[in-house]
Amino acid sequence: MVIKNKIVIYAFLAVLIVGLAVAGIALVVHNNNKTQGYVKTKAVVIDYRERFDYDDYEMMYCEVVEYIVDGVAYKASNDVWTNVPKAIGKEIEIAYNPYNPSQCVFVKSQNVFPIICFVISGLCLVALILQAVKDISEKRKRNDDYYEHNLIA
């Protein structure tokens, strides 16, 4: 029964590691495809939206930016909410569609979810390695105890 539990733990961690790594890679590829052909530029934070997060009981913010393309000013809001608002006047990097400059992507924000996937995948890999080391040392100890017991007898 103990062996089956360990196999389930190993299998679960392995699936989690591979699944999260694949999800992270897929998100990176998707984000790169999403901005392929886009032009990177600086945008200035002019305002921020706020909402109250009832799960964490704190105020959340997303920046509203303005950027200029060919003398025309465009405004956009970020989709990623944070508990620390960006300072008004701060410059951040965006990428806009040169054929429709009103379409833009917040460059740093699109890297958040792949990074989370890779970090959790790495933590699961560390957990898998630690579990394997623990199981190997327990097995060695049991074998040593078995041989010591038989030598005495």
Side-chain angles (χ1 to χ4, degrees):
M1 186 67 171
V2 173
I3 293 174
K4 285 184 182 181
N5 288 342
K6 289 183 182 183
I7 291 172
V8 169
I9 291 171
Y10 286 135
F12 175 74
L13 288 173
V15 167
L16 203 57
I17 291 165
V18 172
L20 288 169
V22 168
I25 292 168
L27 285 169
V28 168
V29 169
H30 172 73
N31 291 342
N32 286 342
N33 288 340
K34 186 175 174 183
T35 60
Q36 189 172 8
Y38 277 39
V39 177
K40 290 185 179 179
T41 190
K42 295 290 182 186
V44 177
V45 176
I46 59 169
D47 198 3
Y48 52 86
R49 295 183 324 189
E50 53 186 36
R51 72 171 187 201
F52 189 75
D53 183 357
Y54 290 97
D55 291 334
D56 294 328
Y57 295 104
E58 65 183 347
M59 194 61 79
M60 301 296 286
Y61 307 91
C62 75
E63 60 266 5
V64 177
V65 299
E66 182 177 74
Y67 58 101
I68 298 173
V69 178
D70 297 329
V72 178
Y74 296 92
K75 289 182 183 177
S77 295
N78 198 345
D79 294 335
V80 177
W81 293 82
T82 178
N83 61 351
V84 180
K86 298 257 191 300
I88 303 243
K90 180 178 170 122
E91 285 190 348
I92 61 173
E93 188 175 39
I94 61 147
Y96 67 88
N97 182 345
Y99 302 108
N100 184 0
S102 65
Q103 294 178 339
C104 78
V105 173
F106 289 74
V107 175
K108 296 235 175 173
S109 295
Q110 69 179 359
N111 295 330
V112 171
F113 297 115
I115 289 171
I116 290 170
C117 286
F118 293 135
V119 166
I120 294 173
S121 178
L123 291 173
C124 289
L125 179 61
V126 169
L128 180 68
I129 291 169
L130 291 174
Q131 183 66 40
V133 167
K134 178 183 166 212
D135 291 344
I136 289 169
S137 56
E138 283 177 358
K139 185 175 180 180
R140 282 189 178 165
K141 177 143 176 54
R142 280 194 308 268
N143 286 343
D144 289 346
D145 289 346
Y146 174 78
Y147 288 118
E148 283 181 21
H149 177 72
N150 284 340
L151 286 175
I152 295 172

